[in-house]
Amino acid sequence: MDEQQAKQRVEELHDLLNEYNFAYFVKDDPLVPDSEYDARLKELEELEREYPSLKTMDSPSQRVGGIVLDAFNKVQHKTPMLSLGNAFNEEDLRDFDRRVRGQVGDNVAYVCELKIDGLAVNLRYENGSFQRGATRGDGETGEDITENLRTIRSLPLRLREPVSLEVRGEAFMPQRSFKALNEAKIERGEEPFANPRNAAAGSLRQLDTKMAASRNLDIFIYSIADLGELDVATQADGLDYLDNLGFKTNGNRVRCASIDDVISYVNEWMEKRASLPYDIDGIVIKVDSLVQQEELGTTVKSPRWAIAYKFPAEEVVTRLIEIELNVGRTGAVTPIALLEPVQVAGTTVQRASLHNEDLIKERDIRIGDRVIVKKAGDIIPEVVGVVESERTGEEQPFSMPTHCPECGSELVHLDEEVALRCLNPKCPAQLREGLIHFVSRHAMNIEGLGEKVITQLFHEQLIADVADLYRLTKDQLTSLERMGEKSAQNLLEAIESSKSNSLERLLFGLGIRHVGSKAARLLAEEFKTMSALQSATIEQLVSVREIGKKMAEAIVLYFDNEEVQTLLEELSSLGVNLTYTGSNRATVEDSDSFFSGKTVVLTGKLEHFTRQEAKDAIEDRGGQVTGSVSKKTDLLVAGAEAGSKLDKAESYGVTIWDEERLKEELQK
Ligand code: IVH
C-alpha cells in the first residue's frame, strides 16, 4: 500500500468507525459485533503508526487518553454560559408562561427537555472537526478539558457535515458506570464518589486523560451556542439538526403547545425519572421559536425564554433502628438517627442528625418507626417525618437523657438554648472532639492526624489534652494498630512543624466558645501575642472589628480558667509558638478552595440552604461573607428575587452566581 492508498483507507476507516461508534454509543443500536469494531480500529492504528502524517486529532483512535496535562488552560466563552431561573411548582410555571406571553403574545410553543444532572460543557467544532471543549466555570471563563472530553465515545470527533459551530450540552456519568466505579473504589479502599454528578466532574478534572477514558462518561447536547449562518428557526429544529450532524441529543423532548401540556410532561417525568439509566434533577422548558427567544432576551443571570423546573428533593422511607447520642466539642449533646441503610439522592444514608429533642417531639419520631428521609439541599440527610400508618405499637418514644452519656455529668440548657449541654470540661467526648478540632485543617492543620488516629491515641491514653500531642514519641505512635515506622515519622514531623504556626491557628484550635477561624485571625492580628490577649479586657476586645460582647465575655472567661493558663504554659515550654507571625493565616492562603480569600455577598431567597448554612460553608472554605456589595466584592450569590444588590454587583462587574452554581462549588 502506498501513501495515497493508505490515506484513502484511513478515510474509509474513519467513516466506518464513526458510523459504528455512532450506532453503538449514540443510538444504542450496534451495527457490528465488538470484534469487528476492534479489528477496524486496530487496522487504523497500524496505518497511523506506519504513516504518522495521516494521524489527525479527530481520528477515532484518539479516544483512549494517554496525555498527561500539567494544568487546564482557561478558555473565555464566546457568549457567556448563563444559568436558568428555577420553578418549584405549577404556579411558578404558570407565572413563567404569563411573563412570556406578556412579552411575545399568545402564540407560544415550548420545548420540554430532561434536565440532565451532570456538568455543562461548551464544544467548538471547526469544519466539522472537534476543536475544543470547556467547562462552564464562572460562565465567562471555563477550563479547557478538550482531551478529557475526547474520550467520551458519544461525543463526535468529526461531524457529518464540515460545519463550524459551538454547541452546549451536559456531560454525565450513567448510573451503571457510577456503580461500577464506586464498587472498584471501595474495593481498593478508596473513598467512593457521593453521586454520579460528582463522579463526572471529578473524572473530567483529571489531568491524566487515561483516567477520564476509563470512566465511561456520556454526553447529551442540548443547544447551539452560536448559530452563525445556520438556518434554524426553532429549538426543536435545532435539536433535530444536531441529531443529523451526529450529536447525541436526548430523545425524550416534547414540543408543547400550552403550559398545561408542559405541566403534564413535568408530572409524567416526576413519576418516571427513577426508570432512567442516568440522573435528572428537573425539566428544562424553553420557548421554541428562536425569534421569540431573541425578543425575550436575557437578564444578567439567565434567559427569559427558559426556566428549569426542579424536582423536589427525593424522599425515601426506611426504619429508624436507634437514636444515638453524640457529644460534641462544645458539650452539645445531639441525637443521631441510626437508619436501616437506604439510597437517597445517589448515596447510602445510615445516619442523620435529629438536631434536638424539640424536633423529635415536634415530628413525633419514635424508635422503630418507618421514617421519611430526604437530603436538605440534596446534601445533608434529614428525617422529615414518620409514616404513622405503618406503626405497629411497638415503637418507643424517645427522651433525652438527663446526664451525659459519656461522663455522667448533668446536662443543662444554657441561655434558653434548645441544645442540651454537658458542662464538664474533662468529659472524654468533649476532649476527644476538641483534639480532633485542634489538629483539623483550619486549626493547627496537622496532616496525617485525623479523627481515627486521634481516637486511637485517646483510647490508648497516650493523649489527654492538646499539649500531650507535642509529647508523643515514635515508639508510642508505632505501638498503634496499623501505624508503620514511616507514617509515625511523617506524623512526628507534621506535629513538629505545626509548632511554628501563627497564633490564629492555635487560637482557633483551642476551641474557645464563639471564636471561629475568622475571629481568631482578627484577634491575633490585633493582639499579636497570646499573653496580650490573655490580659485583654472586655472593653479592649469589643473594640476589635467584628468582635461582639458575647464573644468578648467568652474569651475572658476562657482565659480566667487556671487549667487553661497551665495548658498555655505547657504549650509554650513544649516549643509551640504563641505569637502572630502573619505567615500562615488560618483558612486563607493555604486553602485550595475556590472561596479562599474571597469576599462573598449572599442575596435573594436561597432554596437549598439557610443563609447561615451558606455563610458557614463559605467561611469554612476560607471565604468571607459580607452584607453589602462593594468594588471589593469578589462574588455575589443571587437567590430568587434578588434586588438592588444584584444591580449593584452588575454595575461593578462582580462575578454573579446563582444558587445552583454555589451548590456545585460547595459539593467539590
Ligand atoms: S439549557 C441558559 N437544557 O442545567 C442556560 N440546560 O442552569 C441554558 N442542563 O448547568 C441551559 N440539561 O448545563 C439546558 N436540556 C437542558 C439541560 C440543561 C441540563 C443544565 C445546564 C446548566 C443547568 C441550567
Side-chain angles (χ1 to χ4, degrees):
M1 197 183 278
D2 64 21
E3 180 146 6
Q4 195 49 40
Q5 287 164 322
K7 186 165 187 242
Q8 197 181 340
R9 183 61 185 153
V10 162
E11 278 302 317
E12 276 167 23
L13 287 168
H14 276 197
D15 290 347
L16 211 55
L17 287 164
N18 282 338
E19 275 315 300
Y20 293 167
N21 203 65
F22 178 78
Y24 190 99
F25 290 101
V26 179
K27 291 289 159 218
D28 200 13
D29 185 13
L31 284 176
V32 291
D34 290 2
S35 56
E36 171 61 18
Y37 181 92
D38 294 344
R40 298 286 77 84
L41 182 61
K42 196 153 165 254
E43 187 186 342
L44 174 65
E45 284 169 347
E46 272 162 15
L47 281 172
E48 287 177 342
R49 215 167 299 130
E50 205 174 328
Y51 301 99
S53 64
L54 299 180
K55 187 159 145 182
T56 57
M57 283 316 279
D58 61 3
S59 162
S61 65
Q62 296 304 297
R63 292 195 184 269
V64 286
I67 298 172
V68 181
L69 306 167
D70 292 331
F72 296 117
N73 289 325
K74 295 268 180 247
V75 178
Q76 176 97 25
H77 299 305
K78 253 188 169 174
T79 49
M81 291 183 77
L82 301 176
S83 58
L84 292 174
N86 289 328
F88 297 99
N89 50 45
E90 199 179 308
E91 207 32 56
D92 292 347
L93 288 174
R94 292 193 186 282
D95 282 347
F96 166 70
D97 178 52
R98 264 191 289 276
R99 284 197 303 274
V100 168
R101 282 187 293 119
Q103 213 174 323
V104 298
D106 286 338
N107 191 8
V108 181
Y110 298 105
V111 172
C112 293
E113 297 169 24
L114 303 185
K115 186 168 185 295
I116 313 298
D117 198 6
L119 225 81
V121 294
N122 185 80
L123 311 177
R124 165 109 208 115
Y125 286 79
E126 260 157 43
N127 299 320
S129 200
F130 175 52
Q131 293 297 315
R132 194 161 69 182
T135 60
R136 176 174 165 210
D138 63 7
E140 301 284 340
T141 313
E143 281 181 331
D144 184 339
I145 52 164
T146 311
E147 299 310 326
N148 281 336
L149 287 169
R150 208 190 283 290
T151 68
I152 301 181
R153 307 295 291 265
S154 52
L155 181 153
L157 297 180
R158 191 183 289 175
L159 303 177
R160 291 187 175 150
E161 288 171 35
V163 286
S164 298
L165 84 173
E166 285 200 19
V167 299
R168 288 181 179 164
E170 197 85 352
F172 64 97
M173 185 176 284
Q175 283 153 3
R176 224 175 65 171
S177 318
F178 172 70
K179 227 174 133 223
L181 171 63
N182 264 1
E183 273 164 14
K185 273 187 151 272
I186 291 166
E187 189 123 302
R188 289 196 299 269
E190 294 170 14
E191 191 67 22
F193 280 113
N195 51 50
R197 186 177 189 293
N198 286 7
S203 304
L204 289 173
R205 233 177 262 122
Q206 295 286 341
L207 290 168
D208 178 352
T209 58
K210 268 224 166 64
M211 285 287 254
S214 71
R215 296 282 172 85
N216 295 315
L217 298 171
D218 205 339
I219 189 165
F220 283 123
I221 304 301
Y222 54 65
S223 73
I224 305 170
D226 160 26
L227 271 175
E229 303 286 284
L230 294 177
D231 181 22
V232 173
T234 64
Q235 167 70 8
D237 287 352
L239 290 171
D240 291 344
Y241 177 67
L242 290 170
D243 264 344
N244 291 333
L245 286 178
F247 286 109
K248 181 167 180 170
T249 63
N250 191 291
N252 296 307
R253 57 183 180 266
V254 160
R255 190 169 183 276
C256 294
S258 71
I259 198 68
D260 285 328
D261 290 354
V262 168
I263 291 165
S264 308
Y265 179 90
V266 164
N267 289 335
E268 181 188 325
W269 278 103
M270 200 125 61
E271 295 294 314
K272 288 203 306 203
R273 65 189 284 214
S275 63
L276 289 165
Y278 44 84
D279 285 1
I280 61 173
D281 59 346
I283 302 292
V284 182
I285 298 113
K286 305 174 183 172
V287 168
D288 192 26
S289 153
L290 300 189
V291 170
Q292 287 179 338
Q293 286 191 5
E294 186 109 336
E295 204 180 329
L296 285 154
T298 68
T299 70
V300 261
K301 297 188 298 176
S302 49
R304 291 196 193 86
W305 45 263
I307 197 161
Y309 177 90
K310 302 297 283 287
F311 290 138
E314 189 189 351
E315 292 189 346
V316 297
V317 173
T318 189
R319 189 167 306 283
L320 172 61
I321 307 169
E322 188 55 270
I323 295 179
E324 190 185 79
L325 294 160
N326 176 59
V327 186
R329 170 168 68 88
T330 60
V333 181
T334 316
I336 310 279
L338 302 188
L339 305 163
E340 257 170 30
V342 65
Q343 281 283 119
V344 199
T347 59
T348 307
V349 170
Q350 39 194 340
R351 295 164 70 84
S353 170
L354 291 168
H355 303 292
N356 54 58
E357 191 172 19
D358 288 1
L359 182 131
I360 299 174
K361 292 249 144 48
E362 201 178 282
R363 299 186 186 169
D364 190 20
I365 298 168
R366 304 181 192 176
I367 297 164
D369 262 337
R370 298 269 296 158
V371 291
I372 303 163
V373 177
K374 79 167 190 188
K375 283 198 196 154
D378 270 356
I379 304 176
I380 305 149
E382 192 183 355
V383 176
V384 290
V386 306
V387 189
E388 279 188 40
S389 59
E390 291 195 29
R391 281 211 170 128
T392 60
E394 301 279 297
E395 295 76 15
Q396 295 297 314
F398 172 82
S399 336
M400 286 293 272
T402 51
H403 291 79
C404 174
E406 293 262 357
C407 71
S409 310
E410 194 173 348
L411 299 177
V412 295
H413 288 285
L414 278 186
D415 322 322
E416 300 182 16
E417 278 182 340
V418 262
L420 266 179
R421 280 181 197 279
C422 164
L423 295 184
N424 172 10
K426 295 227 151 88
C427 168
Q430 287 183 55
L431 294 175
R432 191 182 59 233
E433 294 294 322
L435 283 159
I436 293 169
H437 169 76
F438 185 81
V439 301
S440 66
R441 199 154 75 99
H442 294 313
M444 294 300 267
N445 192 24
I446 306 182
E447 216 173 300
L449 254 190
E451 187 168 339
K452 253 203 199 125
V453 180
I454 290 285
T455 308
Q456 270 179 305
L457 289 166
F458 192 76
H459 272 291
E460 299 298 326
Q461 299 183 340
L462 294 174
I463 50 172
D465 63 24
V466 298
D468 289 340
L469 285 170
Y470 295 97
R471 298 190 181 100
L472 284 170
T473 65
K474 196 162 174 182
D475 286 346
Q476 287 176 325
L477 285 172
T478 47
S479 74
L480 297 179
E481 226 177 275
R482 282 196 290 277
M483 175 74 72
E485 284 267 326
K486 181 90 187 109
S487 313
Q489 186 56 39
N490 289 344
L491 243 180
L492 283 179
E493 281 166 20
I495 294 173
E496 184 61 29
S497 94
S498 77
K499 287 183 183 173
S500 55
N501 280 342
S502 184
L503 175 64
E504 62 278 15
R505 284 185 174 275
L506 176 61
L507 257 186
F508 176 56
L510 289 173
I512 306 167
R513 243 182 128 208
H514 305 304
V515 179
S517 63
K518 189 175 155 201
R521 195 178 73 228
L522 296 173
L523 289 166
E525 277 169 0
E526 179 69 25
F527 291 93
K528 305 280 192 287
T529 67
M530 187 67 94
S531 58
L533 186 62
Q534 277 175 277
S535 48
T537 61
I538 293 199
E539 291 68 37
Q540 284 171 323
L541 287 165
V542 290
S543 72
V544 179
R545 179 168 60 98
E546 292 185 45
I547 307 294
K549 187 148 176 277
K550 214 157 109 185
M551 199 193 300
E553 283 170 358
I555 295 167
V556 169
L557 191 70
Y558 179 82
F559 287 120
D560 241 5
N561 185 322
E562 244 173 64
E563 286 179 32
V564 167
Q565 290 158 14
T566 314
L567 177 72
L568 293 175
E569 277 159 27
E570 282 178 42
L571 284 173
S572 173
S573 64
L574 286 162
V576 176
N577 169 50
L578 302 183
T579 60
Y580 174 64
T581 61
S583 58
N584 54 359
R585 294 179 11 170
T587 76
V588 182
E589 274 108 26
D590 67 336
S591 165
D592 53 8
S593 161
F594 169 88
F595 298 103
S596 175
K598 294 212 164 74
T599 305
V600 185
V601 175
L602 302 169
T603 189
K605 275 191 216 152
L606 298 181
E607 190 55 35
H608 292 295
F609 316 87
T610 62
R611 270 291 167 86
Q612 192 59 41
E613 279 167 357
K615 184 168 187 280
D616 289 349
I618 292 168
E619 291 187 344
D620 279 352
R621 288 162 178 76
Q624 184 186 7
V625 176
T626 60
S628 58
V629 175
S630 75
K631 289 205 173 92
K632 289 202 184 117
T633 308
D634 294 298
L635 171 70
L636 178 91
V637 178
E641 293 161 36
S644 62
K645 283 186 193 169
L646 178 59
D647 299 337
K648 199 161 168 192
E650 228 175 274
S651 69
Y652 288 151
V654 170
T655 302
I656 297 165
W657 283 5
D658 63 357
E659 188 180 358
E660 196 60 27
R661 181 70 184 84
L662 173 68
K663 209 176 110 190
E664 187 178 302
E665 195 60 43
L666 291 176
Q667 281 173 336
K668 276 183 191 166

